Amino acid sequence: MPDTMIQTAAPQSAGVTHLDALIIGAGLSGMYQLLCLRDRLGLSVKALEAGQGVGGTWYWNRYPGARCDSESHSYSFYFSDELLQEWQWSERYPGQAEIMRYMNFVADKFDLKRDIRFGRRVNAATYDEAANLWRVSTENGEQYTTKFLITGVGCLSAANIPAIPGLETFKGEWYHTGSWPHDGVDFTGKRVGQIGTGSTGIQAAPVIAAQAAHLTVFQRTANYSIPARNAPLTDAFKAWTKTSAAEIRTTMQSTPNGHPFLISPRLALDSTPEEREALYEAAWDYGGLQFRATYQDMMTNKAANDTAAEFLKAKIRGIVKDPETARLLSDIDHPFASKRPPVDTNYFETYNRDNVALVDVRAHPIQSISETGIVTDQGEYPVDIIVFATGFDAMTGPLFKLNITGRDGLALTEAWSAGPRSYLGLQSAGFPNLFTITGPGSPSVLCNMPVAIEQHVEWITDCIAHMRANGIERIEADADAAEKWVEHTNEAANATLLPLAKHSWYLGANVPGKPRVFMPYAGGMARYRAICADVAAKGYEGFVFS
Ligand code: N01
């Protein structure tokens, strides 16, 4: 038996494993939650993970060019000073393989794998009110009962594969970037069609183009992108991350987006055009998500945002040599960063290669897939391999796939049929003792994820500790508190330019039929952290204990 399959003994009855807490997922969320509940609270706890290893999103997203857009020193757990001192990243942004090494390093250091059951995909979770237990089953027929059920399934783990007629007839190979083959895909000598130009497609295209005979990119919505300027870390920077860990943690916890840099207090329209140009040029040269921090009002004032948008569109036109391709790539219909802003390595430059073509599927939608290619009203584009960089059924998708049923037979899909209705993104009325790490209604994807995850895991751990200390058996979000939080989440989004991106997965707009509701909390991580702390300090205001 591989060590990943080792299980500790837990009381069994009629083939059912009984636990204090069950965690779904072994990415950053699941691993840290396991550590907190097992080692800090001493609960009997297991994590169930569909993959054969830890890593969550990074376990599945092995597409060419997969790399995090958070800088490596911030894409780390900060709960353990020892871990911070022991682990050393090698590049400014960590690549998928290095993140997997990090995840395994963490799992091994804290001896987590013995309590993770790999290759277990949860297919149902049902609340038994009489017993005050969750009954959870897996696809391979295992049964669990648990008092606390905690999802750590990520926000972007349910692949969105568009229902394009004819895909089943395609004679070549096709892949979704979010479930990439572990041994890679050889593009040598192949004609590749890539659908999608989000963060993933923008990272993948340059790497695929460098190997394939030909790459055709099918673009529906043109996108901004900032150069990552990835590079090996210098010894001086590595040393600084060690000596300044506490300071970096403080910065990340005090900013709206959880990144290790502050947003400038400057207002874009207070600068002269020359000053703005110089600042944007410096931010472009520096690279990465920090571009968004150039001005305080970039995400709240459309005129301010326009100045950044125009700068970035001009950059695209300056890089891409073919005028029609440059026009299509810079014909962007939404404010900068109202969709998650990609960072890239040579994305726009890739269109200057002889073996790369861009197809505008906004003007000429994909009609079908034939045996040999992708078809629009302009004809067939013959390809040997199709890469779906088409994103995810975000935030609610991974939770719905668990088939969660709460009190009185209420399915989560039904409770959230008009959009997610979660209190603080942590709990939903009708689903006692169920916590959703980085659930909809929390900052999650608008924040550097490890920062959001640590805050949620620690809050949940403290809450469960409080319940145990006070003999409380059940916690459930109050329906009114949840409604108010949904309203507040909408207000927070509407105070920004984020809802102006009509095709954004933040709004669920990329999945046909999905309710258009702005799902993450846009009020900022620091503010959200304070709200959650205040709720706990007031005796878990808005939650009902019994
Ligand atoms: O997915 P996306 P992603 N026909 O939804 C297009 C994180 N991430 O995997 O915009 C044609 O952003 C779709 O077009 P449109 C990050 O949070 C992080 O790229 O809907 N096209 C869009 O162009 C990110 O935001 C990192 O019109 C179709 C693309 O496919 C999130 O994951 C790296 C289509 C999907 O873009 C998701 O990014 C990668 C159709 N039927 C991802 N359906 C880093 O950390 C969809 N599209 C760097």
Side-chain angles (χ1 to χ4, degrees), residues 63 67-69 156 160 162 195-201 203 220-221 339-340 361-362 389-392 503 505 510:
Y63 60 85
R67 187 176 289 283
C68 190
D69 55 8
L156 296 159
N160 170 41
I195 304 175
T197 54
S199 301
T200 299
Q203 285 186 326
R220 188 164 69 181
T221 304
K339 293 178 84 166
R340 166 77 169 225
V361 295
R362 171 66 53 82
T390 44
F392 302 90
H503 303 285
W505 58 259
N510 61 328

Side-chain angles (χ1 to χ4, degrees), residues 50-113:
Q52 293 297 342
V54 298
T57 194
W58 301 103
Y59 178 88
W60 302 103
N61 281 269
R62 295 168 189 249
Y63 60 85
R67 187 176 289 283
C68 190
D69 55 8
S70 294
E71 298 197 28
S72 54
H73 66 291
S74 68
Y75 200 78
S76 301
F77 281 125
Y78 268 71
F79 66 80
S80 162
D81 289 333
E82 200 178 275
L83 174 62
L84 280 166
Q85 296 304 320
E86 284 174 5
W87 177 261
Q88 183 56 65
W89 295 104
S90 67
E91 293 177 275
R92 178 172 173 189
Y93 303 90
Q96 181 270 342
E98 190 170 25
I99 298 174
M100 285 296 288
R101 288 197 290 280
Y102 175 71
M103 299 276 203
N104 279 284
F105 181 83
V106 174
D108 293 338
K109 175 175 172 58
F110 296 103
D111 194 16
L112 298 176
K113 288 178 185 170

Side-chain angles (χ1 to χ4, degrees), residues 12 23-24 26 29 34 73 77 125 127 131 153 191 228 249 253 289 301 347 349 359 379 382 404 415 435 438 483 542:
Q12 303 283 324
I23 298 158
I24 308 176
S29 304
L34 172 60
H73 66 291
F77 281 125
Y127 179 65
V153 290
R191 296 162 306 172
R249 181 195 289 117
Q253 293 190 349
L289 292 175
N301 179 334
Y347 176 63
E349 290 82 350
V359 173
I404 295 172
F435 294 99
T438 65
E483 283 311 304

Side-chain angles (χ1 to χ4, degrees), residues 482-494 521-523 527 531:
E483 283 311 304
K484 286 201 183 88
W485 185 254
V486 171
E487 273 170 40
H488 177 59
T489 302
N490 287 328
E491 282 160 16
N494 290 333
Y521 177 64
R527 181 172 168 203
I531 293 170

